[in-house]
Amino acid sequence: MVKVMLWGSLAALAEGKPELEIEAKNIKQLLQRLAEDHPGLKPVLEKGVSVSIDGMMYNDAWFEEISSENEICILPRIEGG
Amino acid sequence: MGKQDRDFKAVGTRPLRPDGVEKVTGRAKFGADLSAPGMLVGRFLRSPHAHARIRSIDTSKAAALPGVKAVVTGDSFDITKVSSGNHDTLANVMARDKALYEGHAVAAIAAISVSIARKALKLIEVDYEVLPHVTDVDEAMAADAPLLHENMFTANLTPKPTKPSNIANFYEFGHGDIEAGFAKADVIIERSFKTAATHQGYIEPHACLANMTQDGQGELWCCTQGHFMVRNVCADLMGMEISKLRVTASEIGGGFGGKTTVFIDPVALMLSKLAGKPVKIVMSREEVFKASGPTSSTSMRIKIGATNDGRLTACEGEFNYQGGAYADSPVQFGAMSAFACYDLEHVKTVGYDVAANRPKNVAYRAPGAPMAAFAVESVMAEMADRLGLDQLEFRLKNAATEGTRSSYGPTYNSVGLTETIKAAQSHDHYSAPLGANQGRGIASGFWFNFGGQTAVSLNVQEDGTVNVTVGTPDIGGSRASMGLMVAEELGIEYDNIRCIIADTSSLGYNDVTDGSRTTFSSGLALINAAKDAKAKMCARAARIWDIPAEAVEWKDGCVQPAGANAGEFEPMSFAEIAANADNTGGPIAGHHEINASGAGVSFGTHMVDVEVDPDTGYVKILRYTVVQDAGKAVHPAYVEGQYQGGAVQGIGWALNEEYIYGEDGRLQNAGFLDYRMPVASDLPMIDTVIVEVPNPGHPYGVRGVGETSIVPPMAAIANAVSQAAGVRMTELPMSPPRVLKAMDDAKGG
Amino acid sequence: MTQTHVSTTINGDKVEYLCETDETLLDVLRDTLSLTGSKEGCGSGDCGACSVMLDGRLVCACLVLGVEAQDRKIETIEGMASGDELHPLQQKFLEHAALQCGICTPGFLVAAKALLDENPDPTETEVRYWLAGNLCRCTGYDKIIRAVMDAATEMRGQA
């Protein structure tokens, strides 16, 4: 089980829970199961998000491994100028 | 302060850039500098109205004019075959159904000369039904505002709205219990702020040369921050296979985020396809202002609570960002970064992304962060004054450090904010005396930085020199930093390495040069490509010596026998192995493809002294110091250049730059005379301090440096002006009339 | 449209061209003569990226008509280096990292050379005001000013 933090307005789409527990070994499983368990999140996840693992930012990185030791946050997809 | 143990040989030096001579002799080829035989010129017809339904477009007379070879309108593109993620881009490139801002493209012509193209544009008849428009962010949010999109329902809002509005997106971030936090405060300050929209202001207008052939293949030359992005988007809009479109990035005359999308390129390709000839399009400066860029205008509210001894107890912010015709504002990054400098138990920010009848927003250097920092750091300065605390001490007391949970969620690992504040404290600027009508402002700022998809290649030549190929356009000297990192890794001379930017058919996909990612990501990939080449060279040397590959090691640019074989053979130099490539297995090359992660966040602290003329409200910048964490400065001169350039763009944003709209919704200052960017005589030298707290996510500790420097300036200058003028400035730009009025109002005049 | 025949001198060479009467000197240089070192940033004389010398006077080529070049002497960035040797200003721009993207650089160099031809020992303020007609969005001007001051020092030493 990994703990995932959602940003405020995303939590509102997941029945108001800012922190979720998900059975996932990597980012692919994490995003898949988040969408399955909380259909409200699906459109946002499909549009694209960033995943922060212990403060490091990942975009499009399915196989990045995660465990209960990691701090995991879903964030709006980070872009730059 | 967080120095690395490692001794660098090449990294950290200041050699000349490899593309420099071409650029000082006028030979470098920028977007508008390429021509092709038989080339046509492309020109746009743009909407004169801020908001209008397009009832019909009659192009028959224009098409019949001798010398006109192709005409394109929105109908020329088959939207049903375009992926949904690119629908807004297509509609912005060429209006469909409605023109959503003055300058919105409605048709384009390709002709054999400029004069014929101009004549042809006048022959196009567009029947508009003019609609009510809205350009101000607060007015666009009002319940009775003219609607831009009848199908726009605010996303991420619970419960789901039942009525459409101009608010495209809602965001909320934070942690803790904001009310409990404010209850603990001895002092609470709450203020509202507004900022004007600004343009990235690159000196090179968008330009491209498109060449579609009758077999459905195409080539495109253009100035862009990301030619792979251009290729993929254009191929989608044109209904082409990606591999059939080859895009070459010209030298790029500035971008600052503004060249991270497409405007003219798909139209040039479509005109070229229809005409069966190459087509060149170059935007005019007026078109650049009216139909490219800009960033958001904003309306913000900040509330901060603190104890008498200077601990922040709660921070709250509301951010309303006007995102142009398609609501592309970076408000989420504003709301995420606003309080990212501080260690907070209770924090909450909300953001609204708002559509208005203005050009589609494009990223601008640290998108969304500078405006939020202006508001937050203004209140921070006022709070420090109210509590009687030193500005830097107050920030230091609350600064985010390793282990702080950021206001946007994740916990920071190694970060350098504290180091920048301490460096500012010990800088002689901070204790220099001030004269009458002068003020000093301080502000800190944050940016995320970014990695992303990157592919590079490195070829070792037989004379021991190296060609390096990257896919990230060089906007500010990145070829030099690539050369330095390769020199460091291979242990060879910087002058023996030449870096080029490859076209889209020569490398794997590369994300855009944005998010301060190029030196970080392409550098990371190149270090790995160099390691790949080194491993191959070690194996070659081992075979020459006839010893196992594991029995050699790389040291100081040479391969030498190790372990049991140590000392048995003379070290073999890089050049020697390269010279024998043919006999030892053929060409030696290194490659690396990566989706780079591990970009370290970056912080900066700025100090500025200003003098305000009490009679005119004119603000003179007297002294400016940028302190910023670079992780590791690969080429310090270009790092300083990023700090200085960001600071000066911020000075323009703070004091003069502004999109000014008339009652008719038309932009009134679409030129460099009236959109007033800083010139040399407005400015002092910009002092810089490079702090180096290594990024654990990069082998050399590199962090991105390109964007953070534009985050603190507006706040720092507002704090200085407020002190000098004796009144808190809450609206940008702080142009002379606005400052004068604020001073008069404060006097009760 | 009828074209006009123009004879002029560019970077010391006799040049002839045909141009339309509404074509700017900048269009002629760039599009007809392939001298693309002069850049168009605005087309209204506000950015200085097209700075050239016309009979020894610094002008924006976008504000001069092609036909006005008849019997005049034009100098552009392409004529600044001599042979394989860079002008000291060009060399100092490289050494001081006074360019990032490089689009404004030709205009700055032509303008700075015009300044040093007229005033070999300018103060920082004089350099800043002389170059106020040239926009640079990347550098914040700091390194450009330093490069020009340094080039002036070196050129005085050579004189």
Side-chain angles (χ1 to χ4, degrees), chain A residues 5 8-9 56 59-60 71 81, chain B residues 172 257 405 411 450 595 598 707:
Chain A
M5 285 190 274
S9 41
M56 291 287 180
N59 283 5
D60 316 309
E71 177 202 74
Chain B
E172 185 186 323
R405 183 170 178 200
T411 303
F450 178 58
N595 188 354
E707 293 175 289

Side-chain angles (χ1 to χ4, degrees), chain B residues 364-438:
Chain B
Y364 181 15
R365 205 168 195 163
M371 312 79 140
F374 159 62
V376 167
E377 290 292 284
S378 290
V379 178
M380 284 295 287
E382 197 173 349
M383 181 64 86
D385 287 344
R386 185 85 67 87
L387 297 173
L389 294 172
D390 172 82
Q391 290 289 342
L392 288 172
E393 273 304 323
F394 177 50
R395 285 175 174 79
L396 200 55
K397 202 166 203 163
N398 294 286
T401 57
E402 186 166 353
T404 295
R405 183 170 178 200
S406 69
S407 57
Y408 60 94
T411 303
Y412 292 127
N413 44 39
S414 172
V415 294
L417 175 61
T418 302
E419 287 77 358
T420 68
I421 297 174
K422 286 183 178 161
Q425 278 178 322
S426 57
H427 197 286
D428 65 359
H429 182 169
Y430 195 54
S431 48
L434 289 169
N437 300 316
Q438 296 181 357

Side-chain angles (χ1 to χ4, degrees), chain B residues 180 247 292 309 707:
Chain B
V247 181
S292 78
D309 65 352
E707 293 175 289

Side-chain angles (χ1 to χ4, degrees), chain B residues 175-192:
Chain B
H175 56 254
D177 178 348
I178 197 80
E179 291 316 319
F182 282 120
K184 282 190 225 156
D186 297 315
V187 180
I188 293 174
I189 299 177
E190 184 171 4
R191 278 205 183 267
S192 295

Side-chain angles (χ1 to χ4, degrees), chain B residues 460-583:
Chain B
V460 179
Q461 309 301 355
E462 62 185 36
D463 61 356
T465 62
V466 171
N467 286 114
V468 163
T469 311
V470 299
T472 40
D474 176 357
I475 304 195
S478 62
R479 288 181 185 91
S481 60
M482 299 302 143
L484 285 168
M485 285 182 278
V486 171
E488 188 72 45
E489 199 59 39
L490 293 180
I492 64 173
E493 292 295 316
Y494 167 82
D495 286 338
N496 287 343
I497 300 158
R498 184 146 184 100
C499 176
I500 65 148
I501 318 300
D503 65 62
T504 54
S505 297
S506 306
L507 277 180
Y509 184 84
N510 277 271
D511 274 325
V512 176
T513 290
D514 73 355
S516 303
R517 77 175 212 91
T518 292
T519 298
F520 171 78
S521 305
S522 286
L524 191 64
L526 275 176
I527 290 167
N528 287 324
K531 289 191 165 125
D532 183 25
K534 282 199 297 194
K536 290 170 184 166
M537 293 176 88
C538 282
R540 304 270 178 115
R543 284 197 75 180
I544 293 172
W545 289 325
D546 202 17
I547 59 177
E550 310 80 63
V552 301
E553 62 179 7
W554 189 277
K555 211 177 163 210
D556 300 328
C558 293
V559 177
Q560 52 188 35
N565 300 309
E568 199 176 322
F569 304 100
E570 282 296 301
M572 200 178 292
S573 72
F574 186 90
E576 230 175 309
I577 304 168
N580 290 310
D582 48 1
N583 274 310

